Amino acid sequence: MPPSRFDLLRLLSDARLRSGAALARELGTTPAAIQRGLRELQDLGLEMHQRAGRGYRLAEAYDCLDAAAVRAQLGARAQHFHLELLDTCSSTNTLLLERARSGAPSGSVLACELQSAGRGRRGNDWQSGLGGSLTFSLLWRYAQGAAGLSGLSLAAGVACARALASLGIAGVQLKWPNDLLHAGRKLGGILIEVQGGTAGPCAAVIGIGLNLRLRAGLRTAIAQAVTDLASIGEQLPQRNRLLGAALIELEQVLTQFARYGFAPLREEWMARHAHQGRPVTLSSGAGRTIAGVAAGVAEDGALLLDTACGLERFVNGDVSLRAA
């Protein structure tokens, strides 16, 4: 089988100049196959520099996902995870849900270089170019049923904010129920899908996408204000280091959540609440629109909104929040 474009990408990832013949020898293929692979990488948005008679190199180094590097970041905690890194897939959440049905263990992790059909909340697409984001999904099994997982997306948001802070990314805020913001712009999102009944054991697949370096064309395609880590931090963290840091914090938070629910994390979430005390408009998928002031969240993760009718609670997973 001829080498994939991702084999070629890994060879070129250090941005050093290499000739087409040298690349063909290293991958055991033909120069024509190398040319096709180079075109495919360019079509995926990577900028390639060519020097006549000398070869090719990427315009800048590419940060490839690497299982050994992630496990090194995890240290002793690596034993709690079953990590698999993919070159491409439709959606890490979709694939991990399928594996959950087949008995995949708690702590299973799928991360992907490029998703072809990444999914966000309420059926939205998750837009992510090659190398421009970190997208992964984590399977966590709970003894309680789905009814006991209220506030799980908020708990996962706390874990992500902690991980980013540990890498020097300050000022990350949380938007109910599942977004990470910085300066009012979306930095990342969380999609949780649950298998199992309301009373019995269940499995939660927690999908996380974090923007690292969004290309201009992708920013234009996203229908909301977005930002990335390259824009807000002094130094862009390596994806393997970021994945390891996120998994460390998620393990701690999800283990705590299994015992105590969201309540112990409420104050920490509130301290990062992007809309706390601000006038907002909340709209539901049923077409209902409510204006009020964001008053935080309850111990079960329900949104509290101070409206003309008094303090109201919202728990519907199809509710979106917009600054008024």
Side-chain angles (χ1 to χ4, degrees), residues 177-193:
N178 65 339
D179 284 350
L180 290 90
L181 306 182
H182 190 277
R185 295 176 174 269
K186 184 168 179 175
L187 176 64
I190 299 164
L191 173 65
I192 294 184
E193 297 177 283

Side-chain angles (χ1 to χ4, degrees), residues 63 65-67 69-71 73-74 81 83-86 109-112 134-138 163-164 167 208 210 212 229 237-251:
D63 185 17
L65 291 173
D66 180 82
V70 177
R71 293 189 181 101
Q73 177 72 16
L74 290 170
F81 297 98
L83 175 66
E84 184 177 355
L85 305 183
L86 306 174
V109 182
L110 287 180
C112 187
L134 173 65
T135 54
F136 69 97
S137 297
L138 169 63
L164 290 166
L167 299 177
I208 294 173
L210 297 169
L212 273 74
L229 294 179
Q238 293 181 328
R239 287 197 295 164
N240 297 303
R241 189 179 177 202
L242 178 55
L243 177 55
L247 291 175
I248 287 170
E249 298 296 343
L250 282 164
E251 182 203 10

Side-chain angles (χ1 to χ4, degrees), residues 152-305:
L152 182 57
S153 65
L154 281 68
V158 168
C160 290
R162 286 181 184 177
L164 290 166
S166 76
L167 299 177
I169 307 298
V172 174
Q173 295 180 301
L174 300 172
K175 172 186 170 183
W176 188 88
N178 65 339
D179 284 350
L180 290 90
L181 306 182
H182 190 277
R185 295 176 174 269
K186 184 168 179 175
L187 176 64
I190 299 164
L191 173 65
I192 294 184
E193 297 177 283
V194 179
Q195 290 179 355
T198 57
C202 68
V205 171
I206 304 163
I208 294 173
L210 297 169
N211 298 328
L212 273 74
R213 189 191 298 276
L214 296 176
R215 296 180 179 87
L218 189 57
R219 286 177 183 266
T220 303
I222 299 174
Q224 62 180 300
V226 294
T227 189
D228 56 21
L229 294 179
S231 302
I232 64 178
E234 294 184 4
Q235 185 174 0
L236 183 65
Q238 293 181 328
R239 287 197 295 164
N240 297 303
R241 189 179 177 202
L242 178 55
L243 177 55
L247 291 175
I248 287 170
E249 298 296 343
L250 282 164
E251 182 203 10
Q252 294 175 346
V253 164
L254 297 178
T255 300
Q256 181 184 31
F257 185 93
R259 297 184 65 184
Y260 306 110
F262 174 69
L265 299 164
R266 176 178 176 269
E267 290 303 318
E268 187 174 354
W269 193 95
M270 290 273 289
R272 296 182 179 273
H273 187 191
H275 298 107
Q276 182 67 21
R278 296 172 58 185
V280 295
T281 299
L282 187 145
S283 58
S284 73
R288 185 185 178 203
T289 301
I290 307 98
V293 174
V297 292
E299 289 192 348
D300 63 354
L303 177 68
L304 301 177
L305 194 61

Side-chain angles (χ1 to χ4, degrees), residues 18-72:
R18 287 177 172 83
S19 70
L23 290 168
R25 284 195 302 273
E26 289 189 70
L27 292 176
T29 189
T30 65
I34 294 297
Q35 290 295 325
R36 287 194 297 271
L38 292 171
R39 287 194 296 271
E40 289 177 356
L41 292 177
Q42 288 177 299
D43 290 342
L44 289 172
L46 296 184
E47 184 180 352
M48 196 78 61
H49 289 175
Q50 179 178 0
R51 295 187 181 179
R54 297 188 59 191
Y56 311 88
R57 70 173 183 86
L58 291 176
E60 57 185 22
Y62 183 90
D63 185 17
C64 290
L65 291 173
D66 180 82
V70 177
R71 293 189 181 101

